[in-house]
């Protein structure tokens, strides 16, 4: 931020062009039978089931009504 270069300006213009061209894109959410959407989140872990390195894998899923809006899975960096 203290010493922006020409490469930074090129990156900013590319981001702005991308945003301008994708204004009509978005998530399509299904309507629910319930009057209000509910947020539900679930998380699970496998507790070192990989016998090669004994590291765990975990991850959550997040729903808005019946719609999946976020999920990820990650393996631990170290053995706990």
């Amino acid at each position: 931020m203290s010493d922006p270069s020409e490469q930074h300006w090129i990156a900013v213009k590319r981001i702005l062009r991308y945003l301008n061209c994708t204004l009509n894109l978005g998530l399509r959410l299904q309507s629910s039978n319930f009057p209000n959407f509910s947020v539900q989140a679930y998380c699970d872990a496998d507790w070192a089931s990989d016998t090669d390195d004994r590291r765990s894998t975990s991850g959550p899923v997040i729903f808005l009504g019946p719609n999946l809006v976020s999920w990820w899975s990650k393996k631990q960096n170290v053995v706990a």
Side-chain angles (χ1 to χ4, degrees):
M1 299 275 304
S2 63
D3 188 21
S5 67
E6 184 67 25
Q7 293 297 326
H8 293 101
W9 182 243
I10 291 170
V12 167
K13 290 195 300 186
R14 183 175 180 179
I15 291 168
L16 291 174
R17 279 195 302 270
Y18 172 79
L19 292 174
N20 188 42
C21 293
T22 58
L23 290 175
N24 60 340
L25 299 179
L27 291 175
R28 181 180 171 145
L29 300 176
Q30 297 176 355
S31 63
S32 176
N33 294 335
F34 303 103
N36 296 324
F37 277 90
S38 63
V39 176
Q40 297 176 348
Y42 303 96
C43 186
D44 194 15
D46 72 352
W47 302 108
S49 66
D50 187 349
T51 56
D52 292 332
D53 60 10
R54 303 303 295 166
R55 291 188 288 168
S56 299
T57 302
S58 63
V61 293
I62 302 171
F63 290 91
L64 177 60
N67 306 292
L68 177 67
V69 293
S70 180
W71 70 273
W72 59 265
S73 177
K74 184 174 186 220
K75 193 172 213 177
Q76 279 183 329
N77 295 330
V78 295
V79 177

